[in-house]
């Protein structure tokens, strides 16, 4: 199926584009009343993720409603720990929670390396969504980066500091590397499976990069991200490490097409650090979308000019917040789509 809109793929590969493509992290979700309607029919978040028909429906909603240039498959990064042997629950208003966590060498040896068949519901959702999208826009698949997945597996829930996970790095570095390698191998299998199922592009989320020092980030995070980048060569691939300003120069050396930036970094400085061989994605502060429309337009256009006409995928610097107004979100997408250099 030939894509009718392949702007994002061309931008990622550094090919010429007529305008800057745009999508938004967390575009499928609670900002859309249409999502909340589907969600309320379901037993819970996990049921939605694990039922391909529903995952497909909410994946396509932002394409119809917001007019974004890509869909991202509705799932969660926590499906990998579950496939490795640590089931999660999504607690209402609290976030993820794991009954079992990893603490010892035997906990690590008991974990399996995930195979695409362990996550057949994601593969089925991708295949169905590709069919339903009918070539309108590319479909993005994703996974969590090894360090972020490790952090949830040790901690067992979200955390402000991830101090238990960091303690493990300092006290059990050999075990930490064993676990990170198992997560990496699982993630490569999982992403390869997503490509086979039909994903046109992939993104890695390292949401908790910012709690590590630059040295720790090289040793416990980037090394594994590099393995994943080296293994994924079939489709454009974005690495988004939140708050990893200190790692930008190193990230420029990764074997990926694109690097996601959050709003805390200067755009020109990031370009200089990362180099010209990568597409940059980002990096509007999601809180801008609480502002009035004139401010949204002014700031969005300023961002577009700072990135320039090529090698940029417009996005936020992190996910949409659930209480943002859908009309403002849609307006941001429109401003990007209407802008010409
Ligand atoms: O639209 C999209 O971006 C696709 C879907 C998507 C979800 N999670 C759905 C979701 C994606 C790409 C993710 C990734 C994810 N999940 C990350 C990395 C991105 C980031 O935000 O840093 C992380 C850290 C998680 C783990 C996670 N999932 C947490 C901490 C939470 C609770 C906080 C929250 O936002 O509610 C979730 C739940 C979650 N994942 C929801 C959605 C739509 C909300 C659940 C609901 O509808 O009740």
């Amino acid at each position: 199926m030939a894509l009718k809109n392949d702007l994002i793929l061309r931008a990622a590969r550094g090919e010429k584009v007529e305008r800057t493509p745009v999508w938004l992290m967390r575009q499928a979700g609670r900002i859309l009343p249409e999502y909340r309607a589907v969600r309320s029919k379901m037993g819970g978040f996990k049921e939605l993720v694990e039922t391909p028909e529903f995952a497909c429906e909410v994946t396509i909603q932002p394409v119809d409603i917001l007019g974004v240039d890509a869909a991202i498959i509705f799932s969660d990064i926590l499906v990998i720990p579950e496939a490795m042997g640590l089931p999660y629950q999504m607690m209402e208003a609290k976030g993820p929670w794991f009954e079992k966590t990893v603490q010892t060498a035997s906990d690590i040896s008991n974990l399996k390396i995930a195979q695409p068949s362990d996550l057949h519901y994601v593969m089925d959702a991708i295949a169905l969504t590709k069919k339903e999208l009918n070539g309108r826009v590319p479909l993005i698949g994703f996974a969590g980066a090894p360090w972020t997945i490790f952090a949830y597996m040790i901690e067992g829930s979200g955390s402000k500091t991830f101090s238990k996970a960091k303690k493990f790095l300092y006290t059990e570095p050999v075990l930490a590397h064993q676990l990170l390698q198992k997560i990496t191998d699982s993630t490569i299998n999982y992403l390869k499976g997503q490509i086979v199922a039909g994903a046109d592009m992939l993104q890695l989320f390292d949401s908790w990069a910012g709690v590590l020092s630059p040295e720790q980030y090289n040793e416990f995070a980037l090394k594994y991200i590099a393995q994943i980048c080296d293994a994924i060569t079939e489709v454009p691939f974005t690495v988004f490490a939140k708050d990893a300003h200190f790692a930008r120069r190193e990230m420029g050396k990764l074997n990926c097409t694109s690097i996601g930036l959050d709003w805390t970094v200067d755009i020109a400085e990031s370009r200089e650090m990362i180099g010209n061989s990568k597409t940059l994605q980002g990096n509007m502060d999601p809180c801008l979308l609480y502002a009035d429309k004139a401010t949204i337009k002014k700031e969005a256009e300023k961002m577009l000019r700072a990135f320039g006409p090529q090698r940029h995928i417009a996005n936020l610097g992190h996910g949409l917040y659930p209480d943002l107004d859908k009309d403002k979100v849609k307006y941001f997408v429109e401003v990007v789509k209407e802008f010409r250099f």
Side-chain angles (χ1 to χ4, degrees):
M1 165 62 59
L3 285 161
K4 297 176 191 99
N5 172 350
D6 66 347
L7 279 172
I8 191 171
L9 304 182
R10 280 191 276 140
R13 292 191 293 247
E15 295 165 18
K16 210 170 159 14
V17 287
E18 308 77 66
R19 65 166 174 84
T20 302
V22 57
W23 72 282
L24 306 171
M25 290 188 273
R26 288 287 173 95
Q27 63 189 21
R30 289 163 298 186
I31 66 135
L32 298 179
E34 295 82 353
Y35 167 82
R36 294 198 295 268
V38 177
R39 174 85 160 72
S40 67
K41 283 192 279 181
M42 307 293 293
F45 175 75
K46 277 187 85 173
E47 197 185 337
L48 187 49
V49 165
E50 290 165 12
T51 311
E53 294 71 25
F54 287 104
C56 168
E57 184 179 349
V58 298
T59 298
I60 296 177
Q61 281 175 350
V63 179
D64 291 332
I65 300 163
L66 303 174
V68 284
D69 292 308
I72 179 162
I73 193 66
F74 191 83
S75 184
D76 203 89
I77 62 169
L78 302 174
V79 300
I80 276 290
E82 181 158 280
M84 294 176 72
L86 300 184
Y88 72 97
Q89 287 177 45
M90 197 57 80
M91 314 294 258
E92 212 49 61
K94 276 204 183 136
W97 185 77
F98 289 85
E99 188 182 304
K100 282 188 291 178
T101 59
V102 172
Q103 307 301 332
T104 64
S106 72
D107 292 341
I108 296 172
S109 56
N110 286 337
L111 292 170
K112 68 170 287 190
I113 304 218
Q115 301 297 329
S117 54
D118 297 316
L119 291 153
H120 59 86
Y121 59 88
V122 181
M123 308 308 160
D124 292 348
I126 289 175
L128 181 63
T129 306
K130 268 298 281 181
K131 184 168 156 269
E132 295 294 319
L133 276 171
N134 198 24
R136 287 168 66 194
V137 290
L139 177 60
I140 304 171
F142 70 92
W147 156 249
T148 288
I149 297 300
F150 172 101
Y152 281 107
M153 289 174 98
I154 302 277
E155 206 89 23
S157 66
S159 161
K160 276 211 170 81
T161 56
F162 281 94
S163 55
K164 289 189 194 126
K166 287 175 68 184
K167 175 181 165 190
F168 203 87
L169 300 183
Y170 286 114
T171 57
E172 298 286 359
V174 175
L175 290 183
H177 280 299
Q178 281 174 15
L179 177 54
L180 286 161
Q181 191 60 55
K182 274 191 142 170
I183 297 168
T184 300
D185 294 345
S186 300
T187 304
I188 291 171
N189 291 341
Y190 179 44
L191 292 173
K192 293 252 180 209
Q194 295 187 38
I195 297 169
V196 172
D200 298 295
M201 184 166 178
L202 295 169
Q203 177 158 323
L204 205 60
F205 289 90
D206 210 356
S207 304
W208 301 111
V211 299
L212 297 182
S213 71
E215 203 181 316
Q216 281 179 317
Y217 197 69
N218 282 335
E219 183 180 350
F220 296 104
L222 270 180
K223 205 196 262 180
Y224 297 96
I225 293 177
Q227 285 185 35
I228 299 172
C229 291
D230 289 344
I232 302 296
T233 51
E234 301 89 335
V235 297
F237 188 31
T238 304
V239 176
F240 171 61
K242 173 89 177 24
D243 293 322
H245 52 88
F246 52 78
R248 282 174 290 169
R249 230 174 258 289
E250 287 303 309
M251 292 182 76
K253 300 178 194 156
L254 289 170
N255 198 1
C256 61
T257 54
S258 14
I259 302 287
L261 301 175
D262 63 55
W263 62 89
T264 64
V265 296
D266 179 77
I267 295 167
E269 181 194 59
S270 301
R271 177 50 86 195
E272 188 274 314
M273 292 174 94
I274 294 170
N276 292 325
S277 66
K278 299 275 184 281
T279 294
L280 300 179
Q281 175 175 278
N283 74 337
M284 190 52 77
D285 181 353
C287 289
L288 170 74
L289 305 183
Y290 293 115
D292 58 45
K293 288 192 171 173
T295 309
I296 293 175
K297 186 169 193 315
K298 188 171 116 250
E299 293 299 319
E301 293 185 343
K302 197 200 288 175
M303 173 190 80
L304 290 167
R305 280 194 197 91
F307 278 106
Q310 306 299 331
R311 293 226 90 146
H312 178 220
I313 297 168
N315 203 315
L316 306 173
H318 201 194
L320 287 164
Y321 300 130
D323 65 340
L324 282 165
D325 174 356
K326 170 178 124 177
D327 293 334
K328 300 276 188 71
V329 176
K330 192 174 168 152
Y331 182 69
F332 174 78
V333 172
E334 280 166 9
V335 169
V336 176
K337 287 173 73 178
E338 277 160 23
F339 184 82
R340 293 293 179 278
F341 283 88

